[in-house]
DNA sequence: GTTGCATTTGCAAGTAGGTTGCAAATATAA
DNA sequence: TTATATTTGCAACCTACTTGCAAATGCAAC
């Protein structure tokens, strides 16, 4: 586990520090998208600013990608192995559960092709679906 | 024009006030989605807080709907006539131009049907496309 | 038109998310 | 082990947004 984490950091030309290791550990542990506030709760020993900078660094280097959400806070999820600072593979669907509020990536579903009105050029698309997740849907 | 604006307000059981009239006028004038900062610039006579409250009231009453954006600020656009506080008709595609940064609703395109993994229930979906708009696409 | 009352507004203050500058601490390469 | 470039913590700041309260205003009933 610690080996895996150190490898991720080195692979992206980053120094292996305590804060970075613990942030990655949280991402590996939880499987949903995570925002700054959740990290701050888990990682009480580190300064707010350090966590913000860690997230920005990871975003730049392609360790995490940003997940669209409609609350104020930015959310992030681990990228797949083949992402780096040059190319992201995050054109998949994101799902937010209205019951437990967890945001997850659904890698299985690609964003469908769309024909835009004349004159429009599409570069990128994000699709956020809201509803009930696996766990909460069964209960209802 | 002033008649039309007063009608919109009365139709939603709202008092006709100077601030509300001017906010609606801005929405009718610009055709893209608008955030608080743009309104504050146009409507220098009103307090920031009043503009925030006006936007929230309009959202509740179904005069505007929220448009997904990835910057910090919330953006809003006028609803179609048949929206009210009970039912919104905003399941259309939203487009953000990477050149001029304008956010617009593309009513012509509906969000395509998607099959979610087993156990997931879809209630609502928002699709944000980024690229070049009509005006900026031609130039490039 | 005047009055009465509920609604709306402006102001002051507060909260949350996020950034910047700088000096001290630390990871890594030599 | 040392030199240095990177990272961290702290203080301070910024923007987006909210809340409480008293003063102002819209509107309906007279």
């Amino acid at each position: 586990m610690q080996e895996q984490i150190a490898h991720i950091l080195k692979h992206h030309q980053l120094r292996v520090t305590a804060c970075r290791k613990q942030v990655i550990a949280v991402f590996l542990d939880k499987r949903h998208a995570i925002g700054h506030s959740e990290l701050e709760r888990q990682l009480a020993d580190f300064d707010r600013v350090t966590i913000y900078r860690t997230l920005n660094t990871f975003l730049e280097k392609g360790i995490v990608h940003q997940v669209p959400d409609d609350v104020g806070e930015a959310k992030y999820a681990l990228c797949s192995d083949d992402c780096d600072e040059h190319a992201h593979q995050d054109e998949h669907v994101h799902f937010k559960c209205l019951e437990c509020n967890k945001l997850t990536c659904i890698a299985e579903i690609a964003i469908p092709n769309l024909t835009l009105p004349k004159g429009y050029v599409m570069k990128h698309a994000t699709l956020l679906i809201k509803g009930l997740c696996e766990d909460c849907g069964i209960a209802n």
Side-chain angles (χ1 to χ4, degrees), chain A:
Chain A
M1 170 82 163
Q2 285 300 314
E3 278 305 310
Q4 187 196 349
I5 291 173
H7 174 77
I8 293 172
L9 288 168
K10 283 177 190 152
H11 183 247
H12 292 276
Q13 282 94 256
L14 287 175
R15 291 193 172 178
V16 180
T17 68
C19 182
R20 286 174 179 168
K21 281 192 286 186
Q22 290 189 39
V23 168
I24 292 183
V26 174
F27 275 111
L28 288 171
D29 180 38
K30 319 272 174 196
R31 291 199 321 280
H32 57 266
I34 295 174
H36 180 268
S37 58
E38 187 168 352
L39 284 170
E40 206 179 337
R41 257 176 278 126
Q42 309 275 325
L43 278 61
D45 295 344
F46 299 100
D47 194 85
R48 291 172 0 91
V49 178
T50 303
I51 297 174
Y52 277 117
R53 284 197 269 232
T54 301
L55 286 170
N56 283 333
T57 304
F58 285 6
L59 193 62
E60 272 168 36
K61 295 288 182 174
I63 297 178
V64 300
H65 62 273
Q66 204 161 351
V67 179
D69 196 3
D70 47 5
V71 298
E73 196 188 9
K75 296 276 171 63
Y76 306 87
L78 279 183
C79 289
S80 60
D81 294 337
D82 41 318
C83 289
D84 64 16
E85 59 200 297
H86 307 299
H88 269 295
Q89 211 63 50
D90 63 342
E91 294 267 315
H92 50 256
V93 171
H94 294 271
F95 186 89
K96 178 161 190 177
C97 181
L98 296 168
E99 197 73 22
C100 65
N101 280 314
K102 279 185 191 145
L103 245 179
T104 44
C105 300
I106 304 194
E108 297 91 318
I109 308 180
I111 294 181
N113 260 44
L114 293 158
T115 316
L116 291 175
K118 225 173 89 181
Y120 286 84
V121 182
M122 169 161 160
K123 296 272 185 189
H124 191 88
T126 51
L127 178 51
L128 176 63
I129 298 178
K130 292 194 221 172
L132 299 174
C133 72
E134 263 179 315
D135 299 335
C136 301
I138 293 160
N140 292 278

